Amino acid sequence: MKKHWIFALFLTLLLLSSCALSRPDTIQPQSSGASDSDSDTDAAQQIPEDAAQPLYRLHAADQRIPSLAEHFDGVMKIGAAVNAWQLSENADIYQVLTKQYNAFVLENEMKPERVNPAPGVYRLDAGDTFAQFGEETGAVLRGHTLVWHSQVPAWWFEGSGEDGRATQEELLTRMEEYITTLVTHYRGKIDTWDVVNEAFSDNGSGLRGADENSLWTSIIGDLDGDGSETDYIEQAFYFARAADPEAQLILNDYNLEGDPVKLEAFYQTVKAMLEKGVPIDGVGIQGHINLGWPSVESFEAAIEKLASLKEYNPDFVVQITELDVSIFEWGDESLEKETDLILQTQFAARYADLFDMFARQAEKGNLDMVLTWGVYDGGSWLNNYPVEGRTNAPLLFDRDMKAKPAFWAIIDREVLPAVFEEWR
Ligand code: XIL
């Protein structure tokens, strides 16, 4: 089915080079309603409303453009990673956020190294701005992330143990204090927490260890003597549940959608924890993928497999927490890639197929939200990772925050040929 519509799109693009298509009337420009008055400077009027712009190269906040969140209303929440400075009405992006999304996560400012840089020090300013924004907009808020091996303060792992390392007790106490402080502070405001992030090994062996930069298992180890070292994860979920019994508690990781060995280890471990009664409400598949990897079928199979854990917890759900589609393959070190018509077509088809699949899974009750890791191409972390200073284009809005053909491919495939005609 997928192949058919991509093929049809290519055919249409060929046709377009010889004949002009009349524009479908599914989208009509509305009057800008902008007033010339200088005194009237409400934020809505700062949206670029360039009448000379073609209809299909619209700014993400333009009144004539549809909203992703509204499009999927009742099916799933649609969100994005943001930074606290963007949550002010003066920021250019503010109108885009409130128009296009109904779920948010802070990209960096709620990570332990930012929040808890020294013993007893809690920096909650960005988190409080975020919580306030959530209250004002009614959006779902994700807290990212309580326990991780990266972007954690070094002092957590230092102490009175061997070689100046924290002891098991010291690290557990710090983890408990941190989770309790944060989750209690945001009780009723942050709806969903990534309680533990990236706990699994890339070599499929199970949990990430010191060879992959995580000291959690080597310091905390096997507390209950059951032969597994999932104890730090279990404790983290218990602490979070105690601090906010209503919050949705998630275990988040990457490559589950495309690495069957990692997926199997992850699935078996989560299953074992659920069997023991650990309060895990769902899993986050980050979704840092590229144009060709993985297949949509593989992604969908991972969602289905993980959602089958509903058997142990009726509320269990899967979320796509950090979606972006790199235009570079993993291992490609180049800095630039031409975003020509073919690439934009592939990119649009990729996003459309993914969102068709996500909506299908959401309708089945397997998925409740999809968040992209950023809003527009210029703000993506993939401009600096894994290759610094490259020009990537992994999101739905371009560097001018205009909707790319991929946005229209998700929203309304009928208008795509016309979008492409103007995009060229
Ligand atoms: C990334 C941020 O986007 C970057 O700005 C930061 O320098 C490093 O972290 N998986 C995660 C996110 O769970 O927290 C990461 O965010 C991207 C990969």
Side-chain angles (χ1 to χ4, degrees):
M1 226 165 65
K2 166 190 167 187
K3 298 274 173 316
H4 287 155
W5 85 262
I6 300 176
F7 183 65
L9 183 57
F10 269 112
L11 271 185
T12 316
L13 290 170
L14 270 178
L15 273 173
L16 279 172
S17 44
S18 52
C19 65
L21 276 190
S22 65
R23 294 194 181 116
D25 51 19
T26 41
I27 300 163
Q28 286 297 334
Q30 294 159 10
S31 98
S32 81
S35 123
D36 291 329
S37 153
D38 280 341
S39 60
D40 196 356
T41 52
D42 94 33
Q45 291 173 10
Q46 292 162 19
I47 302 164
E49 285 271 354
D50 184 350
Q53 276 294 327
L55 187 55
Y56 299 103
R57 297 237 44 209
L58 296 179
H59 187 271
D62 192 291
Q63 292 173 28
R64 295 164 291 177
I65 206 168
S67 150
L68 287 165
E70 270 172 34
H71 184 77
F72 290 106
D73 189 30
V75 177
M76 58 190 178
K77 299 281 178 188
I78 302 292
V82 294
N83 295 281
W85 65 266
Q86 299 172 327
L87 306 179
S88 132
E89 287 191 27
N90 302 322
D92 281 357
I93 201 172
Y94 183 86
Q95 300 295 329
V96 178
L97 300 182
T98 50
K99 170 168 186 140
Q100 292 292 345
Y101 309 99
N102 52 15
F104 298 95
V105 59
L106 283 175
E107 183 178 5
N108 284 304
E109 292 151 298
M110 224 185 251
K111 290 173 178 171
E113 72 172 4
R114 282 288 259 278
V115 173
N116 194 200
V121 177
Y122 280 87
R123 283 207 229 138
L124 299 170
D125 48 335
D128 289 353
T129 303
F130 183 57
Q132 171 85 30
F133 175 75
E135 259 167 352
E136 282 163 15
T137 58
V140 166
L141 299 188
R142 305 190 84 259
H144 175 81
T145 174
L146 296 169
V147 173
W148 194 16
H149 64 280
S150 180
Q151 295 181 276
V152 272
W155 72 267
W156 276 14
F157 301 94
E158 293 160 4
S160 55
E162 224 175 287
D163 301 330
R165 249 194 209 176
T167 61
Q168 181 190 63
E169 203 191 332
E170 283 167 340
L171 187 54
L172 268 174
T173 308
R174 286 166 191 167
M175 183 171 88
E176 178 172 12
E177 185 208 278
Y178 183 76
I179 293 178
T180 308
T181 305
L182 224 66
V183 177
T184 306
H185 183 78
Y186 293 114
R187 183 162 49 206
K189 294 178 180 160
I190 299 281
D191 306 275
T192 300
W193 285 98
D194 284 333
V195 179
V196 181
N197 193 31
E198 302 184 353
F200 284 76
S201 168
D202 285 327
N203 62 32
S205 63
L207 294 182
R208 177 188 294 270
D211 54 335
E212 288 170 298
N213 304 320
S214 175
L215 291 176
W216 287 102
T217 52
S218 28
I219 296 181
I220 295 183
D222 180 9
L223 291 170
D224 58 12
D226 70 351
S228 105
E229 292 190 319
T230 50
D231 303 63
Y232 83 93
I233 301 177
E234 296 170 23
Q235 291 303 309
F237 277 86
Y238 285 122
F239 295 147
R241 179 64 100 222
D244 185 353
E246 302 296 320
Q248 188 185 42
L249 305 182
I250 301 291
L251 183 64
N252 198 45
D253 218 316
Y254 62 91
N255 285 5
L256 302 169
E257 66 279 31
D259 178 345
V261 181
K262 183 168 181 175
L263 174 65
E264 185 60 25
F266 184 88
Y267 169 83
Q268 293 298 345
T269 310
V270 177
K271 182 167 169 251
M273 289 192 283
L274 289 169
E275 279 167 349
K276 281 165 81 176
V278 180
I280 305 176
D281 295 319
V283 295
I285 297 179
Q286 292 184 0
H288 295 295
I289 61 175
N290 63 46
L291 273 177
W293 180 93
S295 69
V296 174
E297 290 74 21
S298 157
F299 205 142
E300 183 160 30
I303 295 174
E304 294 261 0
K305 181 173 177 123
L306 293 169
S308 74
L309 293 167
K310 264 188 272 200
E311 189 188 330
Y312 300 91
N313 171 354
D315 295 331
F316 199 87
V317 78
V318 180
Q319 306 181 334
I320 309 304
T321 53
E322 307 182 13
L323 182 71
D324 44 28
V325 178
S326 175
I327 60 170
F328 299 95
E329 275 174 31
W330 191 255
D332 179 347
E333 308 245 298
S334 46
L335 292 173
E336 309 278 337
K337 187 167 179 181
E338 204 190 331
T339 45
D340 57 10
L341 191 60
I342 301 220
L343 189 112
Q344 284 293 345
T345 311
Q346 288 172 331
F347 188 81
R350 180 81 165 135
Y351 259 104
D353 289 340
L354 284 166
F355 272 80
D356 278 357
M357 183 272 280
F358 295 150
R360 187 159 65 230
Q361 288 299 319
E363 308 260 5
K364 283 174 111 176
N366 289 345
L367 189 77
D368 66 352
M369 60 176 98
V370 176
L371 288 89
T372 54
W373 203 244
V375 170
Y376 64 104
D377 288 342
S380 166
W381 74 305
L382 293 179
N383 294 306
N384 285 306
Y385 179 87
V387 175
E388 219 177 305
R390 80 176 358 168
T391 305
N392 211 329
L395 296 167
L396 293 172
F397 301 110
D398 70 12
R399 282 164 189 264
D400 300 320
M401 268 185 243
K402 291 184 173 154
K404 288 155 71 171
F407 171 89
W408 294 103
I410 291 173
I411 294 266
D412 184 357
R413 229 164 271 171
E414 298 286 304
V415 306
L416 252 196
V419 171
F420 270 110
E421 188 191 15
E422 291 194 333
W423 184 86
R424 282 185 302 162

